Amino acid sequence: MKNSDVLRVLLAGSSAGDRQWIIELLKSGSSWRCEFIESDSGESALQQVQAPGDPGERILLAAPLADMDAMRLLDRLLDMQGITPCPVVVITPGNGLELGPVLLRAGAQDYIGEEWLSPYVLARAVDNARVRWAMERDLSARDDALQRSEAFARGVQRLTQTIIDGAGALVFAKDLEGRYFLTNRAWRERVGLSEQQATGITDEAVYGAQVAQDLRRNDEQVLSSGRLIVAEETTYQQGRPVHYLSSKFPLVDEAGRTYAVCGVSTDVTSLKQAQAALQARERELQTLADNTPDILTRFDRELRHVFVSAAIERMTGRAPQAFIGRTPRELGLPADLSDCWENAVRAAFHAGQAQTVEFSYQSPGGLRHFSGRFVPEFGPEGAIEHVLGVLHDDTEQKRAEQDINRLLEEERHYTRLLARMAQASRKMHASLSADEIAQVLTQQAREILGARRAVTRLTLEGTGARTLQAVALADDAHPADLPPPGTLLTVPLTGQGGQQIGIVQLAGGPYGDFTAEDRAVLMQLAAIASTGLENARLVASLREADHRKDEFLATLAHELRNPLAPIRNGLEILRRSGQLTGPAARARDMMERQLAHMVRLVDDLLDVSRISRGKVDLRLARITLQAVLDNALESSRPAIEGSGHSLVLHLATEPVWIEGDLTRLAQVVSNLLNNAAKYTPAGGRIELSAQVEGTHAVIRVTDNGTGICADMLPRVFDLFAQVDRTLERSQGGLGIGLSLVKKLVELHGGDIRAESAGLSQGSRFTVRLPLAGPEGQPPPCLESGPGAPSATTCRVLVCDDNVDGAESLSLMLGLLGHEVRTVHDGAQALDAVGPWRPDVVLLDIGLPGLSGYDVAQRLRADPAMAGVLLVAVTGWGTEDDQRRSARAGFDHHLTKPVEAAALEAVLARRKPDRPEAD
Ligand code: ADP
């Protein structure tokens, strides 16, 4: 201690005397400059000790204290490190030998028993205490540092362990003998060992000899090279390989000696599996790419190929490798193809959307057509990295499409052809004349086959060429009968018996020669035409036969009339002579009835044949239905009453107007009434009703007679139809009545229907006639009945080549009181009129030599004959005949056999200007 330094002596003791004594001792026993600070209690002493300042320049001398003993004071003075804040010397009572060592252990640096107190002892104790305190303090400081560094080292170790334990990888260190002295948790968990078990274990024990050998080889490489190596290592866990990527490096001590191998192993098993899977996938893709018929090609941003599949070789003849790293243009592909691809790739990069392309390429095997898509491929960042082209060879598909189109076109062609053939066929079948058929055949054949010209020639029954020539000229004016230029196609028209009935010939096909198909089509048309021609011929012959039948019927009726005329005249004569009585008179009556029936039959027959030949002219007038029914009843009543039938009438009270021919309509109703009377057993009931229904006048004739069976109903209106020819009928019939009725009704624009519930159930016939329009007055009835016969006698010349007819007529006229002369031909008639000057000439038309017409014309040419009444009396009774006789100059036309009443009526209307006196 330096002399200039002041030693601050903290003097604690309850006794002030003791404290003074001690001060004196110290002063005398040392040469130090001391500053004494006294404390009379333990507490104040403690405060003094804690006061600031260098503790080395202080010392506590602790004499006995009243408030705390020395042990307590020391206890409170000791700090964490177990050292007092300043040196402490305890002055104990007595010699202190007992307490002294205890005080030293309790932290005091020295002690002095009061018995031993002397200046020297005190000074030495103070000195000792100071030195010992300083030493203790140094020791304590060093110990402190040591403890801190140990704690740090433990911290570092914990941290390291935590870090390596936290690592997912396996971390380990092995000494030079290969014994593990450091492992992390991952390592231990992987091999299933505790830290304790792991420490000191070898690879052999952990993995077995084989794996240990491999691992050891890597460790040795580390040891020999002294460097880090990275190696793949494989161990096995429950028989399955586990792959690691291991970084191994040497651990070196301060002296630079390697003492261990440290390793960090990462499990790459799943990575390796993924890698293997990826490789497998890549191989798979490559196989796919190489084997797909499509061309796959990938482009980078510079439009260079980075991948091309094997299919490219088929297209270009070049191996895929030749494409890699080069653009289409650099490869020298044709400019249009390069443009097509490069533009599409650029557009895909630019727009980020797939682009479609179509192109053709002249492959080594010929021209091929492709279609394809260029698709952008996005990287993980979303940027387009590549564009993938998928190109498909459409050549076969295109060809197939073309084939289908061609087939469709062919089908359409055939459909059109068939339709036209069908149309031609319809037209030809609709044509009923050979001329028309030939016309249609020529026209259709030319149009369908597109020929420039077509000719059809018909021959008749193999008798040589017929006049018919149907020729269509297309684009030249070549005369049809000259041989046509260019290729000819000729097909015969053949009849059913195999005979040739003509030919059809085409010239100048649309594309030069005619094909086999053209021939087939023409043959088909010719076959259709041949059938049509046969049909036309059949129809013509049927018409001919029908016509002949009508002619025959007309002639028959006419010829029947001739013999009827004299019979009627004869009967009339008998009646008027009044000479017959009794059975003779009854026989005459019977003969009259039968004659009337026969006349009606002949009339009907004639009417039917006239209507069939369209030779009936209706005398249409506005008439009442009532007039029709009156007329009909008048003629039918005798038949109805004759059979004892009751007749019930239901007639409209108001006049019902219709447009019609009174006589003909009366004929219709009378026919129906006659039939009802005829086909109803005696004493039956016949109803006649007539009323308006809607726009029609409806007449119904109903009887309760034999009825008509269902299968006959639809045919009763056919000509010559009779339900039962064996039926015994009082008046017989030809089966023409209903046919005539139907025709007449239809001529009037009406219709007729027959109904019957069956045999013996009666029948009903319903006639419907359109009502006449409302306006206009009813025209006077034409057939208002013959005028009253005049009693005036006249001079009548009868001219008929039928001698009986002429004679009977003149007899009858004589009975009527007329003066009569008879001649038998035209010349005689002309001769007779001059000198005799008759009032009336009854002239037959069909006379030998001069016809009735000739005679009439000559008489009319003679002014002297102007007043003569010329009456045609003939079997020909059609409207035509009547018109013709009128043109020839006749005043009247009577049809044979002439009824006496009709004759009288005509005579009554003779020209009035004849001088009565002649
Ligand atoms: P026709 O009386 O001369 O035989 P129609 O043409 O008048 O000829 O009649 C044809 C057939 O219809 C008759 O033969 C008859 O069988 C049948 N018929 C016509 N009217 C009647 C009727 N009212 N009742 C039963 N049958 C009828």
Side-chain angles (χ1 to χ4, degrees), residues 21-41:
W21 179 49
I22 290 166
I23 291 169
E24 291 307 323
L25 283 175
L26 195 58
K27 278 182 180 171
S28 62
S30 71
S31 56
W32 303 318
R33 290 202 304 134
C34 293
E35 183 188 329
F36 292 98
I37 302 156
E38 293 177 56
S39 302
D40 60 354
S41 68

Side-chain angles (χ1 to χ4, degrees), residues 569 795-800 806 809-810 812-813 818 820-823 829 833 838-845 847 859 868-874 890 892 894 898 903 906-907:
N569 293 342
R795 228 178 262 166
V796 183
L797 177 69
V798 174
C799 175
D800 194 338
L809 188 58
S810 54
M812 189 170 74
L813 287 166
H818 301 292
V820 190
R821 280 197 193 169
T822 308
V823 292
V833 289
D839 303 310
V840 180
V841 179
L842 298 179
L843 197 56
D844 183 21
I845 303 278
L847 292 169
L859 288 177
V868 176
L869 185 77
L870 279 182
V871 181
V873 179
T874 168
F890 284 103
H892 295 283
L894 294 175
V898 182
L903 188 58
V906 165
L907 293 184

